[in-house]
Amino acid sequence: MKALLLENTHPDARRLLEDAGLEVTEKTSALGEQDLCELLPDFQVLGIRSKTRVTSATLAGAPGLLAVGAFCIGTDQIDLSAASARGVAVFNAPYSNTRSVVELAMAEIIAMTRRLTEKDRAMHDGVWDKSARGAHEVRGRTLGIVGYGNIGAQLSVVAEALGMRVVFYDTADKLALGNARRCVSMDELLETADIVSLHVDGRPSNSALFGEKEFSQMRPGALFLNLCRGFVIDHEALRAHLLSGHLAGAAVDVFLDEPRSAGEEFRSVLRGLHNVILTPHIGGSTEEAQADIGAFVGAKLADFIREGTTSLSVNLPSVALPPPAGTHRLAHLHHNVPGVLAEINSVLADHDVNVEAQLLGTRGDLGYALTDIGIDYEDAVVARLREMAATVRLRVLS
Ligand SMILES: NC(=O)c1ccc[n+]([C@@H]2O[C@H](COP(=O)([O-])OP(=O)(O)OC[C@H]3O[C@@H](n4cnc5c(N)ncnc54)[C@H](O)[C@@H]3O)[C@@H](O)[C@H]2O)c1
């Protein structure tokens, strides 16, 4: 089997795939649709980061493709429904950069609370200003976290360790960690928090979640952070509240229109404001996160190729059986209709094949069954399973 890794994935990914017996070809850049369509038919595994788009047409031209690894967090660049329909497993690394985002948020909270960026700028201009005016400790201050998912919850723990009080608001039921207190509404959080940090996901309904009304509700002198998605806030409204002095500072890492390349100018209404920290979408960009992503996605792809396991797949049912010993494994992806498992087992029984272990998982329109069987079986077994009306893809792993 062959894997094509694009966009400079971490070396750990190559190592893990080679250990799983794959021949790996690497390219440092992303590929456009046409170039990818020409290359992909030779490969069973594709590894990309955020710049390569995997379209329905690309997948149609590569019927031998088994899996796509997105060596990043998001999977917007992949046509997931087309991948599912063709039985192509997609994996990503949803948690690998959580800690990196948390540490940046915490660093920015302290930097803004101490007005570090202003002191730094003054020093570079030759101004020695030792005054404590406007500089505070974070200890005892209340951090309001909107979106208590992976990042929000971990930020909560780290902030409490520094002596902050934590309140949070989440639309889903979330267990409060440590002494964090859940708010019943965003209004309650905004009334309470000295610092508001947004960590919601990118669902369309979160567009313009935070605008003039929400900024007005924040406490005078409060600080604001957005490290989640650019479209979640109204940047003009934030600028107005910073200029009026109602808000004391802001840190923003994500923007609606982000430059596509290093040479392109960054444009924002927030440029040039005091006590505003602007960063180029680097919340998750650390060497540790990149290494973790390489190892995490590389291992998921290797396990899928070797053992057929799909734990934490973005699009296929999640099924994991311990590695087979002295057996062959049938990995059967099928349409999720009644009677498929019975049909598989009746084919096996017709040919006197004993089932050693079996696990079925379903997700939406798809079902996925791993079945371990003895190594002596007739070829007709595989042929009959492939011919089943519900079969999307069958792999035999040994
Ligand atoms: N800046 C970066 O480089 C960077 C890196 C990684 C992740 N992110 C972004 O950070 C965000 C959070 O990531 P995560 O892994 O914690 O996601 P997550 O899915 O684990 O958590 C999101 C939480 O937000 C909650 N939520 C959604 N809409 C809400 C709303 N309107 N009000 C209150 N709660 C709401 C959800 O219920 C969920 O608990 C995502 O948008 C992600 O894209 C940014």
Side-chain angles (χ1 to χ4, degrees):
M1 286 212 198
K2 290 162 111 187
L4 175 64
L5 297 182
L6 304 177
E7 302 187 57
N8 251 338
T9 52
H10 193 272
D12 282 358
R14 179 183 196 129
R15 187 180 48 74
L16 285 157
L17 292 172
E18 285 178 342
D19 287 352
L22 284 105
E23 187 187 319
V24 178
T25 302
E26 281 188 272
K27 297 208 175 287
T28 50
S29 60
L31 288 185
E33 190 174 31
Q34 202 182 333
D35 291 339
L36 190 57
C37 281
E38 277 170 26
L39 263 185
L40 207 54
D42 282 342
F43 294 90
Q44 288 72 45
V45 171
L46 171 67
I48 58 167
R49 289 171 69 184
S50 53
K51 292 205 176 80
T52 302
R53 285 176 49 74
V54 180
T55 61
S56 171
T58 313
L59 292 164
L65 191 69
L66 298 173
V68 177
F71 287 82
C72 51
I73 310 302
T75 50
D76 297 350
Q77 73 281 38
I78 302 168
D79 187 329
L80 289 177
S81 46
S84 305
R86 295 188 173 276
V88 176
V90 179
F91 297 95
N92 69 339
Y95 316 118
S96 294
N97 63 9
T98 299
R99 178 71 190 201
S100 303
V101 180
V102 167
E103 290 192 13
L104 181 63
M106 207 58 240
E108 291 179 333
I109 289 169
I110 296 176
M112 286 190 287
T113 310
R114 292 295 291 269
R115 306 192 81 89
L116 281 189
T117 54
E118 288 167 275
K119 297 284 182 192
D120 174 65
R121 206 169 299 139
M123 287 291 278
H124 283 284
D125 290 342
V127 179
W128 181 266
D129 171 14
K130 239 173 95 55
S131 129
R133 197 171 2 94
H136 300 275
E137 294 182 353
V138 293
R139 179 173 52 161
R141 304 210 136 215
T142 301
L143 170 63
I145 298 173
V146 182
Y148 205 64
N150 298 312
I151 294 171
Q154 191 162 151
L155 177 62
S156 163
V157 172
V158 174
E160 280 202 334
L162 285 170
M164 299 187 81
R165 290 195 198 97
V166 175
V167 295
F168 70 90
Y169 170 66
D170 198 297
T171 42
D173 265 344
K174 293 283 170 171
L175 175 73
L177 300 179
N179 294 319
R181 186 173 64 77
R182 180 179 188 159
C183 295
V184 293
S185 64
M186 183 118 88
D187 294 351
E188 185 192 346
L189 179 139
L190 297 177
E191 275 165 25
T192 323
D194 301 309
I195 300 152
V196 174
S197 194
L198 302 189
H199 299 285
V200 298
D201 53 55
R203 68 187 76 180
S205 59
N206 279 340
S207 171
L209 173 73
F210 220 89
E212 171 55 33
K213 172 174 166 284
E214 290 73 22
F215 286 120
S216 303
Q217 283 176 278
M218 284 177 64
R219 299 178 65 160
L223 300 171
F224 174 81
L225 290 93
N226 183 21
L227 284 84
C228 65
R229 299 288 179 112
F231 69 82
V232 166
I233 70 165
D234 177 345
H235 288 85
E236 290 282 0
L238 174 58
R239 175 187 158 86
H241 283 267
L242 287 162
L243 281 177
S244 73
H246 170 226
L247 297 185
V252 184
D253 186 46
V254 284
F255 304 87
L256 202 52
D257 291 316
E258 297 182 354
R260 286 174 207 276
S261 61
E264 202 179 310
E265 187 182 350
F266 162 66
R267 295 171 197 278
S268 167
V269 292
L270 301 175
R271 271 175 54 179
L273 301 184
H274 291 301
N275 209 23
V276 173
I277 301 175
L278 301 177
T279 45
H281 204 147
I282 51 163
S285 306
T286 60
E287 292 189 11
E288 287 81 359
Q290 286 310 313
D292 204 83
I293 289 170
F296 189 90
V297 180
K300 291 280 161 221
L301 291 170
D303 288 350
F304 177 69
I305 293 301
R306 258 191 316 232
E307 296 164 18
T309 52
T310 47
S311 343
L312 291 181
S313 165
V314 179
N315 61 331
L316 296 193
S318 185
V319 179
L321 262 182
T327 56
H328 277 169
R329 175 167 287 179
L330 304 173
H332 190 262
L333 186 73
H334 50 262
H335 297 295
N336 184 16
V337 290
V340 177
L341 201 58
E343 195 177 343
I344 293 173
N345 289 339
S346 110
V347 170
L348 297 176
D350 286 351
H351 291 266
D352 281 335
V353 176
N354 193 38
V355 172
E356 306 285 343
Q358 189 169 51
L359 198 61
L360 167 76
T362 61
R363 177 174 184 169
D365 294 339
L366 289 175
Y368 186 51
L370 292 181
T371 307
D372 290 348
I373 59 171
I375 53 176
D376 293 325
Y377 60 86
E378 301 159 23
D379 291 346
V381 172
V382 174
R384 276 188 64 192
L385 292 174
R386 281 221 165 93
E387 282 161 9
M388 281 169 52
T391 301
V392 175
R393 175 168 259 159
L394 174 73
R395 283 202 298 144
V396 183
L397 313 169
S398 39

